[in-house]
Every structure is written in C-alpha cells, then in structure tokens.
Amino acid sequence: SDVERDTMLNQLEERTHMVRTLEGRLGDALKDHDTSLADQASVQQQADMLRQALNEHDARNKALKQQLHNEVQQRNGAEQLCNAKMEEARVLSADLGTMTRENQVVNDELAMVVAQRDALKRDLDEALQRLSVAQQMVQGREKEKQDILMSYRALNEEKQRTDAGTDRVA
C-alpha cells in the first residue's frame, strides 16, 4: 500500500542520513590520526568506495521513488477513468493489473536497494571498527615510545652521575 511504501521510503531516508552521519564521523577520525597513514589510506579508500556505492544507490532510489510516484498517479487516473466510463472497464482492468505487477517489481527493487544500503552500512561500520583498532595501536606505540624515552633519560642521568663520580675518584 501507499502508506507502507511511504513508511519504507522514510525509513530509507533516515538510514541514509545515519550512514552519511557515520561517514562524516569517519572523515573526522581519519583527519585526526595522521600517524597511521597506511591504515588510514586503506580505510579511506574503502569509505570512498562505500560512499560511491551509496551515492549510486541513492540515485537509483530517487529514480525508483519517482517511478513509484508516477505509477501511483497513473493507477489513480486509471481508477477514475474506470468509474467514469464503465464501457472501458475491462480494458482498464487489464492495464491496472499490469501496472500493479510493475509496481510490485518496483517494490522488490526498492527492497533490494534497502538491503544493499544496509550491507554498505555494515561495511562502513566494519571500516570504522578497523580504524578504531588502528588508532589504538598507534596510541600504544606512542606510549611505548614515551616509556623507552623516559628509560633512556634515566639511564643517561645515571651514567652522568657515574661519570661524575668516576671523575671525582680519579
């Protein structure tokens, strides 16, 4: 029914907005962590591919919405004509059946686009998770570097004290 289609289309738009929001967050995260360029480049490439695929699906969704709208208008016109001209009812009934089947094809395609969009969202979520892991690895390496530097400084200070003690003894 029209209400169900409208509900599905609204849900699709909400989820598309959600995906775009997540894409924005992914872009921000990539800018903030330039210390892991190789991992980020891979994730960014995946995000670009997902974004491109999402844009293609958005374009197809828009065309499907227009086609669905046009078919609904055609169906409404056919029903009015049927009521006005009972003589042509049999011919219009066959046309209406054809349009209903075409409408089902459009609904099936819309369901497929929604499923593909959901798969793209899952892929984006996975890419965001991999980015988070890479960022944690970078933070761990930075901490390890700081620990080594502190140990080096402590050893250097101890060496200087030892050298100073040796100079006093000699």
Side-chain angles (χ1 to χ4, degrees), residues 65-100:
K65 282 182 183 179
Q66 183 61 45
Q67 184 179 356
L68 182 61
H69 176 74
N70 291 343
E71 288 185 13
V72 167
Q73 286 183 336
Q74 288 175 354
R75 186 174 134 229
N76 289 341
E79 287 175 344
Q80 290 174 1
L81 187 59
C82 182
N83 290 333
K85 299 182 179 187
M86 292 303 284
E87 183 62 32
E88 298 173 12
R90 282 168 270 159
V91 174
L92 292 176
S93 178
D95 290 345
L96 186 58
T98 299
M99 284 189 274
T100 300

Side-chain angles (χ1 to χ4, degrees), residues 47-60:
D48 289 344
M49 289 175 12
L50 291 171
R51 209 174 281 115
Q52 179 182 359
L54 180 62
N55 288 338
E56 291 171 5
H57 287 292
D58 284 347
R60 178 67 179 147

Side-chain angles (χ1 to χ4, degrees), residues 67-142:
Q67 184 179 356
L68 182 61
H69 176 74
N70 291 343
E71 288 185 13
V72 167
Q73 286 183 336
Q74 288 175 354
R75 186 174 134 229
N76 289 341
E79 287 175 344
Q80 290 174 1
L81 187 59
C82 182
N83 290 333
K85 299 182 179 187
M86 292 303 284
E87 183 62 32
E88 298 173 12
R90 282 168 270 159
V91 174
L92 292 176
S93 178
D95 290 345
L96 186 58
T98 299
M99 284 189 274
T100 300
R101 284 188 299 278
E102 289 173 357
N103 195 16
Q104 182 60 47
V105 169
V106 170
N107 284 335
D108 292 346
E109 289 177 4
L110 181 60
M112 185 174 61
V113 167
V114 168
Q116 289 171 340
R117 194 238 18 247
D118 290 345
L120 289 172
K121 183 186 178 306
R122 284 190 300 275
D123 290 347
L124 179 60
D125 289 343
E126 290 172 10
L128 287 170
Q129 180 62 31
R130 286 193 303 274
L131 175 62
S132 176
V133 168
Q135 290 168 347
Q136 290 172 2
M137 288 175 61
V138 167
Q139 290 171 352
R141 288 180 186 146
E142 183 62 29

